[in-house]
Amino acid sequence: LNTCHIRKKAAEKVYDEVGRIKKSFRSLKKPLIIIAGCVAQAESEEMIKREPYIDIVIGPQSYHKITDLILSYERKNKKIIETEFDVVKKFDELEKVYNSENKVSSYLTIQEGCDKFCHFCVVPYTRGPEYSRPFKQIINEAEKLVKNGTKEIILLGQNVNAYNSFENGKNYKLSSLIKRINEIQNLKRIRFTTSHPKDMTEDLIECYKTCNKLMPFLHLPIQSGSNKILKSMNRKHNKEYYISIIEKLKDINQNIKISSDFIVGYPGELEKDFIETIDLIKKIGFINSYSFIFSPRPGTPASEKKLNNLQISEQRLKKMQDLLESLQYKNNKNYQNKICKVLIENKLNNQEKYFGRTENMTPVILEADECKIGEIIDVEVNSFNKKNLFGFRKLNKERAA
Ligand code: SAM
Ligand code: SF4
């Protein structure tokens, strides 16, 4: 079971899941239970104390050891805890085995960890300090992916735009990576996630002008529209700075769409702070965003603060999600009867229908007689709901003739 520790609800799910497995295997041979990911890193041996059905606990920096750990467990029949922090070794080892799949859209991890220490967040504790993989290693992997059929690369990192690698006297940043990956033949689209506003530097913003494969969509979490709350969260940016980034991006391309993350009910959040967040959401017109009620995480500074009233937080979350949904609906409505470019990712089971995404990441379900996976095609949108667009392939006149 791969686990997430970012909110309490996500962390608790793993124990429920182990309980379910235990029940369904009651009259069968016990399966080997391995808990991986950030809950494993954070709770370590406590997990086995709480649930002795678990056999191996393995943190996110030790995935490359999974096979050896299983073999060792089978030999010695002894529970194993492996939560070492050796991120460099992990990438060196994983490079040999992973990303050989031929997916149209592939994630490529370029960075891990975080040095920002937002007061609500466990990532700096579970994932450790910022680490950037070597430039050359990433380019090799990108080329390998494209050779295997990838048409879209999503550069991935907890703080992806903090990517910073010094090699042979040269300093490589995320913008250097995007520019180089933009040159790979047969690659059609580039995206990156998740970014921090503080690291949205001019050279990176400039890429939206100079790199034709960089898609006009950015996930840029702000968390709150109140400067008081942003300060108390230790976010290291204020609302005005965030808005100035969006304005620079829109100056380059009016059609760039922005999505974000929001935390509702952070300790000390008053109604007027919440209204500031709502106003900001309306001003920017976010699409495709995520919102969560503050969840106190063990060991973080915010977990020591007085909690807000849960009922009020739930009401605020509902109000925010209704607004975000209505913005998403409005965004989708704008596509109605228009033609958009869609990268085809797969064919839907037993149907003459395909799934793909627009340049702004909006999911599209479309009908087409003939369509290749990995192709970018024109789609005419004829209906929509708040999640998806629906349409059909629009052949240009020459092809149709
Ligand atoms: N690095 C990204 C950034 O700084 O914006 C965010 C990465 S975090 C893994 C994903 C999202 O989870 C955050 O943007 C935040 O909204 C949410 N999150 C993190 N800790 C949380 C907490 N304690 N309670 C509620 N939501 C939380
Ligand atoms: Fe967590 Fe993102 Fe803040 Fe890092 S920058 S502490 S990952 S929310």
Side-chain angles (χ1 to χ4, degrees), residues 384-395:
F384 62 94
N385 60 24
K386 63 186 178 204
K387 262 176 116 179
N388 300 306
L389 304 175
F390 302 93
F392 56 89
R393 180 172 196 170
K394 181 89 181 162
L395 289 170

Side-chain angles (χ1 to χ4, degrees), residues 53 71 106 132 169-170 223 225 244 252 292 308 339 350 356 363:
Y53 200 68
L71 292 173
S106 297
S132 296
K170 267 190 152 176
Q223 316 299 352
S244 76
I252 292 176
F292 318 97
N308 279 16
I339 294 172
N350 309 322

